Amino acid sequence: ELFKKDVDYSVLTDKDGNKVGVGIIDSFTGRVLDGRRWSDGLHQSIESKEGIDVSEMSQVIAKVTYQSLFRQFSRLSGMTGTAMSDADELEIIYGLKVVPVPTALPIARRDYPDVAFKTRAA
């Protein structure tokens, strides 16, 4: 089997227990992905296999990668604690400048030296 029930997909039911659809299960989180459907008739074949009324096939109008989408904007922003260490690489490869933004308040974290223990009890 290509897709297994309760592993790759779940049969969705209403409050009366009637089958109403198929939900794709996220392989990383184990949660049902609301609104997601397989393409090329695969979703309809799973619905048929499970005895659910087969829904109409959806049509993909366009596809775009995140990289292509982000290129449409003249300015980008994001937050990370590691961009400054890779600032040169980000500018050379992607043409993106990294600008540090100072914190609004003084840093409250206390950095202590590393400690190693010989045993768990220590």
Side-chain angles (χ1 to χ4, degrees):
E1 281 186 23
L2 184 60
F3 292 103
K4 295 184 179 169
K5 183 178 176 182
D6 297 327
V7 175
D8 300 304
Y9 69 90
S10 176
V11 174
L12 306 175
T13 58
D14 60 14
K15 62 181 178 181
D16 297 325
N18 301 320
K19 296 179 182 180
V20 294
V22 172
I24 299 172
I25 297 176
D26 185 320
S27 60
F28 296 105
T29 64
R31 296 180 181 185
V32 175
L33 300 170
D34 288 333
R36 293 284 306 270
R37 297 177 57 80
W38 287 301
S39 60
D40 301 322
L42 185 58
H43 205 88
Q44 287 75 13
S45 66
I46 298 288
E47 288 174 333
S48 177
K49 171 187 165 188
E50 294 298 333
I52 300 168
D53 290 338
V54 178
S55 60
E56 288 188 30
M57 215 156 102
S58 57
Q59 182 179 2
V60 176
I61 303 298
K63 289 184 181 181
V64 65
T65 63
Y66 285 121
Q67 205 168 18
S68 305
L69 177 66
F70 292 154
R71 283 195 193 124
Q72 304 297 314
F73 300 94
S74 59
R75 293 183 178 205
L76 297 174
S77 68
M79 270 178 42
T80 178
T82 58
M84 285 307 298
S85 60
D86 296 321
D88 293 336
E89 183 179 348
L90 289 167
E91 187 163 11
I92 292 167
I93 295 173
Y94 300 105
L96 297 173
K97 292 183 179 179
V98 176
V99 178
V101 177
T103 58
L105 300 173
I107 297 174
R109 182 187 69 221
R110 294 184 189 155
D111 289 325
Y112 296 106
D114 293 339
V115 179
F117 299 98
K118 283 187 173 185
T119 65
R120 284 184 181 263

